[in-house]
């Protein structure tokens, strides 16, 4: 079992889809992509974890790294569709704020719309 | 002043003793020197004296001789010599020479018959008599015969002139021819004049001067009876100085000599009065072979010196005494404040600070000492005041603490409970580490059959913990009145304690409710240590009662009861960390394993026996080390028949076990998990989430890889045991000691290390965890699900 990474680069709303397992063995595979994202941080990074069926603390570290990279630029990290196993782990370590974890596309879209509106108002 | 121990006396003694000694030595030496000088002076004086006496005597004799010889001329020119013509001339001679006592011109009896007119002095008159009486027979006397025989003037030996002048005398006889008649002219000289000369020439107060003739016969001596009676030979015997007898020849040779034997010469023996030794000087006096002896007593001269020495000594000693008196007085007066200080010290030692310190205004060392002493006294007084106050305060606090201890003891049921016919046996113990503590236990029957019980441990120790404990205890008892579900009771108490809990005190609690009718047991846990269950055979198992956080922190926390069931003769042991965290003298923890070992394997007799066994084990382990924490035990034994209970989950399911030794690498968890997953499948276990198991296995192995410090050859031994509801996995490694369960701050935030997160996951996803380190082996036992 291994990890497959799909990254849709976008300056506003980028999407990082992880498939398989993110553990001690596979976490290093994510390192180059994290570096890329750090070079050009998007406003919103959606982590699609629908097909990620396993995450360990090594994987959590990657998530924290991404979160940290986005923060200085006001970027947002959103978790989309975590599998039950992954969600459980997220809950235990309180890795991300509860409101940035979305179990369906509809929820995520509504949240993103709302966020974009508030950004627009600020403009 | 305490005699010689007094500083003043000693000062005087040490100063004056050498001075006195010095003075004595100086006086002695001075005395010796003076004596020598004095004796030498006395000897010179003796020699001078004898010289002068000699001169005087010789002068007298010479003038007498000259005079007589001169008078012989007119006698010789007399045309006719007879008594009538001779007497006037003799009379004139006597008148002219007062020293001549008597004189005669004795004619040769062979020519005209004896004729010898003799003139002598008597009572100031010159008396004329004749020596020609038949009874005297003058021609036979030496004074007559010797000049004629020798044809020259002759001095006679001294003699006593019996019938003549009746005095001792010497006679100077000159042979002559007067008026054609052979005759002898004589001049008698009384020896008495010698005495007069000698008496006026004494040496010292008691000296003796005497004269002796060529035969040694005493010619002149202060003791008149000795004159012409004693001689030197006799004196030599009485003086025991044989040499004295040999003096005459020496004198005859014209030599002088000293007689000064060691022991001296007793003055009385030479005719003196004193009885002290002296010395004798002898020298020739005249050509007739006479000698003069001068005696003087040493003492006569030395007494003055001795008196002088004595006076000087007395004077010196007087000065010393005066000096001593001055020194003692001065020292005493200077040092007197020291005595007063000593007395003050004794007073202060007895607690009396009132008296004044003497000598504060003095400018000298004593004054400095006094001022320092005074300062010390003031400080000491303040210090003792403070100490008294502090002691009183502490005693009050201790008294209050003692009362508080009694009150706290009365808060928990202390007497052995009496459950009557109920199948219950209970024993409890609360042993605070200090006067009061934060542990608590309590129990009470809620009705005829149900027993409510609780054990707890308040954070912190001492008075704050005791206050919180009292509050918690009161709330628990109150809650138990209205509610009978342990979880509900905990919720109620938690809400009450969370209110205004500004100091964030909290208490871990284990609340239970036992129904004695069927042994059913409800337990609710607020982060308290798991109770240990013992069955009738002493088989031990931990009751891992899930629950919530400690009471008093989180008012949103919810507690739920868990249901258990006690078999007949099952025993439940509840305890606080005073047991598991009891420290040995080597700072080792008692721990769960020892607790379990102390009780497992022994068929419990009764609750008291179980309690005693555990307390003995803990005390033995501590070996006298002071208890760091309160120790509380609650032992509950159910002796009922279990009622109509059904066979519970105690029935054992098939267990699937296995072990694997794997190298320490990051990917080792795949192999381990695959094997464990296989065991779970085999055991028919569907209750556990394999994802949880996989995650925990990975985290544990990752941890070992990272922290155990094992090289590439390092290995981890993994053992597992699965049944249909649970899984136990044990990891063993020989790396550095690392307790992944140690109480670290485990909150999930992004600053947390990967390891930290792993541990949070480990804690959350397992139901039972235990870490032990034995013989260099880290052993981590994890349980998923309930056994």
């Amino acid at each position: 079992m291994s990890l497959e990474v799909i990254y849709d680069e976008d300056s506003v709303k980028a999407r990082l889809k992880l498939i398989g397992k993110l553990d001690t063995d596979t976490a290093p595979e994510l390192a180059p992509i994290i570096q890329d994202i750090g070079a050009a941080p998007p406003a919103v990074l959606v982590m699609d974890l629908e097909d990620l069926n396993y995450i360990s603390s090594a994987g959590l570290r990657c998530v924290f790294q991404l979160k940290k990279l986005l923060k200085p630029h006001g970027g947002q990290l959103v978790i989309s569709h975590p599998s039950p196993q992954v969600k459980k782990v997220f809950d235990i370590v309180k890795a991300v704020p509860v409101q940035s974890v979305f179990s369906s596309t509809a929820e995520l879209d509504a949240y993103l719309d709302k966020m974009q509106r508030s950004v627009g108002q600020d403009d | 002043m305490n005699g010689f121990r007094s500083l003043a006396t000693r000062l005087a003694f040490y100063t004056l003793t050498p001075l006195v000694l010095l003075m004595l030595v100086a006086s002695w030496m001075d005395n010796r020197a003076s004596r020598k000088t004095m004796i030498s002076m006395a000897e010179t004086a003796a020699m001078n004296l004898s010289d002068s006496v000699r001169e005087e005597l010789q002068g007298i004799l010479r003038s007498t001789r000259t005079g007589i010889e001169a008078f012989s001329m007119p006698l010789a020119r007399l045309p006719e010599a007879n008594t009538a013509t001779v007497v006037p001339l003799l009379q004139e001679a006597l008148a002219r020479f007062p020293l001549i006592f008597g004189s005669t011109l004795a004619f040769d009896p062979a020519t005209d018959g004896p004729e010898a007119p003799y003139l002598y002095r008597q009572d100031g008159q010159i008396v004329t008599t004749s020596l020609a009486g038949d009874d005297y027979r003058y021609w036979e006397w030496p004074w007559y015969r010797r000049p004629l025989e020798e044809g020259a003037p002759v001095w006679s030996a001294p003699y006593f002139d019996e019938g003549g002048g009746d005095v001792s005398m010497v006679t100077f006889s000159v042979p002559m021819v007067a008026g054609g008649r052979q005759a002898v002219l004589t001049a008698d000289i009384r020896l008495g004049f010698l005495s007069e000369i000698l008496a006026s020439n004494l040496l010292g107060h008691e000296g003796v001067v005497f004269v002796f003739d060529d035969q040694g016969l005493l010619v002149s001596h202060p003791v008149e009876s000795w004159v012409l009676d004693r001689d030197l030979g006799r004196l030599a015997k009485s003086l025991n100085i044989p040499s004295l007898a040999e003096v005459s020849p020496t004198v005859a040779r014209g030599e002088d000599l000293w007689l000064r034997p060691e022991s001296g010469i007793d003055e009385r023996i030479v005719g003196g009065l004193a009885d002290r030794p002296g010395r004798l000087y002898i020298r020739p006096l005249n050509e007739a072979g006479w000698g003069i002896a001068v005696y003087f007593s040493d003492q006569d001269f030395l007494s003055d010196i001795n008196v002088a020495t004595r006076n000087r000594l007395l004077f010196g000693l007087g000065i010393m005494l005066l000096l001593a008196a001055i020194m003692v007085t001065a020292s005493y007066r200077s040092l007197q404040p020291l005595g007063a200080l000593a007395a003050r010290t004794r007073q202060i030692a007895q607690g009396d600070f009132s008296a004044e310190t003497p000598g504060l205004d003095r400018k000298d060392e004593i004054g400095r000492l006094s001022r320092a002493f005074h300062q010390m006294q003031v400080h000491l007084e303040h210090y003792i005041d403070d100490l008294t106050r502090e002691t009183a305060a502490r005693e009050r606090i201790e008294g209050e603490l003692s009362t508080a201890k009694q009150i706290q003891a009365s808060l928990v049921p202390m007497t052995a409970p009496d459950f009557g016919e109920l199948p219950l046996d209970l024993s409890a113990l609360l042993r605070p580490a200090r006067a009061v503590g934060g542990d608590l236990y309590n129990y009470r029957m809620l009705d005829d059959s149900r027993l409510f019980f609780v054990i707890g441990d308040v954070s912190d120790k001492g008075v704050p913990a005791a206050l919180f404990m009292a509050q918690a205890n009161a709330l628990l008892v109150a809650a138990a009145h209205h509610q009978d579900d342990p979880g509900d009771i905990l919720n109620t108490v938690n809400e009450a304690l969370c209110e205004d809990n500004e100091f964030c005190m909290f208490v871990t609690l284990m609340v239970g409710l036992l129904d004695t009718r069927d042994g059913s047991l409800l337990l609710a846990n607020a982060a308290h240590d798991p109770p240990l269950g013992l069955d009738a055979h002493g088989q031990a198992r931990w009751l891992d009662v899930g629950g919530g956080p400690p009471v008093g922190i989180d008012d949103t926390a919810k507690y739920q009861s868990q249901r258990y069931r006690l078999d007949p003769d099952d025993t439940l042991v509840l305890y606080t960390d005073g047991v598991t965290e009891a420290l040995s003298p080597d700072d080792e923890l008692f721990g769960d394993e020892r607790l379990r070992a102390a009780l497992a394997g022994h068929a419990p007799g009764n609750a008291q026996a179980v309690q005693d066994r555990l307390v003995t084990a803990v005390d033995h382990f501590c070996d006298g080390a002071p208890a760091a924490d309160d120790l509380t035990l609650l032992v509950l034994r159910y002796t009922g028949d279990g009622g109509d209970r059904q066979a519970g989950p105690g029935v054992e399911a098939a267990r699937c076990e296995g072990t694997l030794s794997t190298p320490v690498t990051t990917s080792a968890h795949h192999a381990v998990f695959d094997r464990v997953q296989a065991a779970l499948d085999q055991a028919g276990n569907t209750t556990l989430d394999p994802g949880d198991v996989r995650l925990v296995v990975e985290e544990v192995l990752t941890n070992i890889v990272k922290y155990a410090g094992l090289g590439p050859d390092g290995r981890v031994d993994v053992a597992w045991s699965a049944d249909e509801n649970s899984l136990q996995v044990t990891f063993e490694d020989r790396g550095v000691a690392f307790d992944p369960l140690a109480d670290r701050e485990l909150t999930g935030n992004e600053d947390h290390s990967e390891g930290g997160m792993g541990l949070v996951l480990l804690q959350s996803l397992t139901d039972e965890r235990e870490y032990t380190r034995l013989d260099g082996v880290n052993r981590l036992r994890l349980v998923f699900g309930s056994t």
Side-chain angles (χ1 to χ4, degrees):
Chain A
M1 279 264 228
S2 61
L3 177 73
E4 194 183 329
V5 184
I6 302 169
Y7 183 48
D8 296 339
E9 195 172 349
D10 188 309
S11 64
V12 180
K13 183 183 156 191
R15 181 165 165 274
L16 179 63
K17 184 171 174 63
L18 302 176
I19 302 162
K21 291 177 160 46
L22 184 58
D23 61 9
T24 326
D25 294 339
T26 57
E29 295 174 24
L30 205 54
I33 292 172
I34 292 174
Q35 220 167 355
D36 290 349
I37 295 174
V44 176
L45 176 64
V46 179
M47 286 186 82
D48 183 350
L49 304 182
E50 192 172 5
D51 298 314
L52 185 72
N53 51 32
Y54 178 84
I55 187 168
S56 76
S57 57
L60 285 171
R61 203 171 122 253
C62 299
V63 177
F64 285 135
Q65 264 180 315
L66 285 169
K67 200 173 157 192
K68 214 169 178 177
L69 283 173
L70 294 177
K71 203 173 175 183
H73 310 280
Q76 281 270 356
L77 178 71
V78 217
I79 309 293
S80 161
H81 298 85
S83 66
Q85 172 65 27
V86 172
K87 187 171 190 311
K88 189 179 187 178
V89 171
F90 271 42
D91 286 347
I92 291 170
V93 299
K94 299 179 181 63
V96 286
V98 182
Q99 63 267 26
S100 54
V101 178
F102 302 95
S103 47
S104 69
T105 318
E107 257 182 66
L108 172 64
D109 287 347
Y111 172 77
L112 290 176
D113 281 353
K114 190 180 165 194
M115 202 181 70
Q116 272 173 335
R117 269 203 305 278
S118 71
V119 170
Q121 275 170 0
D122 282 351
D123 291 341
Chain B
M1 284 184 285
N2 306 316
F4 191 67
R5 274 174 302 175
S6 142
L7 204 57
T9 321
R10 262 186 303 175
L11 188 64
F13 178 81
Y14 289 134
T15 313
L16 295 180
T17 304
L19 280 181
V20 169
L21 287 176
L22 202 63
M23 193 182 73
L24 286 175
V25 169
S27 293
W28 179 76
M29 288 174 69
D30 175 60
N31 185 265
R32 294 273 300 205
S34 299
R35 283 168 82 107
K36 230 168 162 176
T37 313
M38 206 56 171
I39 291 294
S40 153
M41 274 169 59
E43 288 188 348
T44 311
M47 285 156 76
N48 291 342
L49 171 70
S50 67
D51 264 356
S52 80
V53 170
R54 180 168 170 256
E55 292 295 321
E56 200 170 342
L57 183 64
Q58 276 190 339
I60 287 167
L61 295 179
R62 195 175 299 118
S63 67
T64 304
R65 176 179 178 162
T66 313
I68 289 300
E69 276 173 350
F71 256 96
S72 68
M73 313 270 266
L75 284 171
R77 280 196 302 268
L78 282 175
E80 197 175 340
N82 56 37
T83 304
T85 57
V86 168
V87 167
L89 284 171
L90 292 179
Q91 231 167 358
E92 193 189 336
L94 250 66
R96 294 240 326 246
F97 297 98
L99 275 175
I100 299 177
F101 174 70
S103 180
T104 184
L105 185 68
F107 296 99
D108 183 6
T111 46
D112 293 316
E115 185 179 358
Y118 179 59
L119 280 78
Y120 69 96
R121 298 173 201 274
Q122 190 176 39
D123 303 329
Q125 301 292 313
I126 297 171
V127 182
T128 304
T129 184
S130 173
L131 301 174
D134 285 348
D135 53 340
Y136 186 68
R137 301 176 68 84
Y138 66 82
W139 53 90
E140 292 174 4
W141 284 77
W143 60 263
Y144 178 81
R145 285 176 46 202
R146 275 182 56 208
L148 289 178
E149 285 163 12
E150 292 174 22
V154 168
W155 282 97
S156 77
Y159 62 96
F160 188 75
D161 186 31
E162 224 177 287
D166 280 339
V167 289
S168 304
M169 57 181 68
V170 287
T171 301
F172 185 63
S173 311
V174 183
M176 67 178 294
V177 175
R181 298 171 71 178
Q182 181 70 42
V184 171
L185 177 67
T186 69
D188 296 337
I189 305 215
R190 218 168 32 141
L191 288 178
F193 84 92
L194 275 175
S195 305
E196 282 155 26
I197 293 172
L198 298 182
S200 62
N201 282 288
L202 281 181
L203 196 57
H205 306 295
E206 294 162 354
V208 180
V209 181
F210 58 92
V211 175
F212 54 91
D213 70 2
D214 54 344
Q215 300 305 311
L217 188 68
L218 293 184
V219 175
S220 171
H221 194 278
V223 183
E224 289 207 9
S225 59
W226 287 20
V227 176
L228 302 181
D229 182 45
R230 305 203 172 179
D231 59 14
L232 291 180
R234 186 162 167 190
L235 276 181
K237 261 184 224 155
S238 56
L239 288 174
N240 200 19
I241 305 173
S243 57
L244 197 53
E246 312 300 322
V247 159
S248 297
T250 311
V251 169
R253 283 197 303 274
E255 294 168 13
D256 58 353
L257 73 154
W258 276 99
L259 287 177
R260 35 194 171 196
E262 281 288 307
S263 54
I265 297 168
D266 193 320
E267 188 178 350
R268 279 173 302 185
I269 296 173
V270 294
L273 303 169
D275 58 351
R276 287 175 295 244
R279 53 193 71 205
L280 194 58
Y281 176 62
I282 295 168
R283 67 169 299 163
L285 192 58
N286 59 15
E287 61 269 33
W290 291 19
I292 179 169
V294 178
Y295 171 90
F296 64 88
S297 155
D298 291 2
Q299 203 57 42
D300 243 9
F301 295 88
L302 301 183
S303 60
D304 285 349
I305 291 172
N306 287 346
V307 166
T309 304
R310 193 187 65 212
N311 287 346
R312 271 205 299 275
L313 273 179
L314 284 176
F315 183 67
L317 284 174
I319 287 178
M320 296 295 168
L321 279 178
L322 188 66
L323 210 56
I326 290 171
M327 285 178 79
V328 168
T329 312
S331 313
Y332 178 66
R333 288 178 67 88
S334 308
L335 300 177
Q336 199 180 16
L338 285 185
L341 272 184
R344 287 286 301 119
T345 313
R346 279 193 293 276
Q347 271 179 294
I348 288 173
Q350 286 159 9
D352 175 12
F353 290 96
S354 59
E356 270 294 306
T357 306
L360 285 178
D361 48 352
R362 288 173 67 129
K363 300 269 180 287
D364 56 6
E365 291 85 344
I366 302 278
R368 271 156 54 194
L369 181 64
S370 292
R371 285 189 288 280
F373 185 86
H374 180 70
Q375 213 166 10
M376 182 202 77
Q377 174 187 336
V378 171
H379 287 316
L380 201 59
E381 193 173 355
H382 290 161
Y383 173 71
I384 287 183
D385 277 355
D386 291 350
L387 197 65
T388 311
R389 264 199 305 279
E390 279 167 20
T391 308
R394 201 172 56 227
E395 278 171 359
R396 199 181 62 240
I397 288 170
E398 278 169 5
E400 287 174 3
L401 267 182
S402 165
T403 312
K405 181 187 172 107
Q406 290 169 20
I407 291 174
Q408 189 178 38
S410 70
L411 292 180
V412 301
M414 287 309 266
T415 49
D418 179 13
F419 295 114
E421 295 295 313
L422 287 175
L424 263 184
D425 180 13
L426 187 148
S427 176
L429 169 77
L430 196 162
R431 202 163 73 180
R434 304 186 191 170
V436 291
D439 277 12
L440 71 96
Y441 73 80
N442 216 325
Y443 53 84
R444 62 174 55 234
M445 295 301 297
L446 291 187
D447 50 39
D448 290 343
S449 57
R450 290 185 304 163
L451 175 76
F452 159 81
F453 61 89
V454 62
I455 187 165
D457 180 6
V458 178
S459 59
D460 206 347
K461 300 182 187 65
V463 174
L467 288 172
F468 202 75
M469 168 267 182
Q471 195 185 1
N473 185 58
L475 287 169
L476 280 163
V477 171
H481 271 296
H482 306 294
Q483 293 164 306
D484 51 12
D485 179 67
D488 292 345
I489 292 174
L490 274 185
N491 286 331
T492 306
V493 172
N494 183 45
E495 280 163 26
L497 283 179
C498 281
E499 271 176 41
D500 300 327
N501 184 11
E502 283 174 26
F503 290 96
C504 291
M505 300 282 289
F506 59 87
V507 56
T508 66
L509 286 171
M510 178 76 74
V511 181
L513 187 70
L514 175 67
D515 192 332
T516 57
R517 289 170 300 196
D518 60 359
S520 66
L521 174 68
L522 286 175
L523 286 175
N525 187 11
H528 198 81
D529 293 321
L532 186 73
L534 295 167
D535 69 14
H537 310 290
Q539 199 74 35
R541 64 179 181 130
W542 298 103
L543 270 64
D544 197 33
V545 186
V551 168
I553 294 178
D554 182 1
D555 58 357
T556 63
K558 289 296 168 204
Y559 302 90
Q560 287 190 340
S561 300
Q562 296 197 22
R563 187 167 291 278
Y564 297 84
R565 188 182 287 271
L566 291 183
D567 287 332
D569 292 329
D570 269 2
T571 304
L572 197 61
V573 180
L574 299 111
Y575 55 89
T576 60
D577 55 8
V579 174
T580 49
E581 290 175 11
L583 279 175
S584 76
D586 303 327
D587 282 347
E588 214 180 329
L589 289 176
F590 188 73
D592 296 340
E593 264 314 303
R594 287 193 179 80
L595 167 59
R596 181 193 178 101
L599 297 179
H602 298 279
N606 56 38
Q608 183 69 44
V610 172
Q611 176 185 312
D612 290 348
R613 186 177 297 126
L614 185 53
V615 169
T616 305
V618 171
D619 287 346
H620 186 259
F621 178 75
C622 291
D623 196 18
D629 205 350
D630 310 331
L631 185 151
T632 304
L633 280 177
L634 183 66
V635 180
L636 191 60
R637 190 156 177 266
Y638 174 61
T639 54
D641 57 6
D644 53 352
R645 61 185 298 189
Q646 301 147 0
V651 178
E652 286 273 308
R655 297 194 77 85
C656 295
E657 302 179 341
T659 60
L660 179 67
S661 182
T662 170
V664 183
T665 62
T666 47
S667 55
H669 64 274
H670 297 301
V672 174
F673 174 68
D674 289 348
R675 295 285 305 273
V676 172
Q677 177 68 57
L680 284 173
D681 291 346
Q682 197 183 344
N685 185 314
T686 53
T687 56
L688 296 177
D689 183 343
D692 291 354
V693 176
R694 169 189 281 271
L695 185 51
V696 167
V697 168
E698 182 192 337
E699 296 299 343
V700 170
L701 287 172
T702 305
N703 244 326
I704 293 173
V705 169
K706 285 185 177 169
Y707 299 116
L710 292 163
D713 300 334
R715 296 191 82 82
V716 185
D717 294 319
V718 188
W720 58 88
S721 164
D723 61 24
E724 60 178 340
N725 289 317
S726 69
L727 169 71
Q728 173 173 302
V729 189
T730 309
F731 300 87
E732 288 185 349
D733 70 84
R734 297 195 151 267
V736 296
F738 178 78
D739 179 3
L741 308 178
D743 192 15
R744 300 185 183 83
E745 199 183 341
L746 297 175
T747 55
N749 64 52
E750 57 197 89
D751 292 321
H752 236 294
S753 72
E754 197 175 322
M757 288 186 298
L759 297 178
V760 174
L761 294 169
L762 173 66
Q763 302 263 19
S764 305
L765 298 177
T766 56
D767 294 294
E768 203 176 311
R769 300 156 296 277
E770 183 189 40
Y771 168 81
T772 53
R773 169 109 184 151
L774 272 174
D775 302 326
V777 174
N778 291 311
R779 184 169 183 270
L780 181 66
R781 186 176 66 87
L782 301 173
V783 176
F784 298 82
S786 57
T787 52

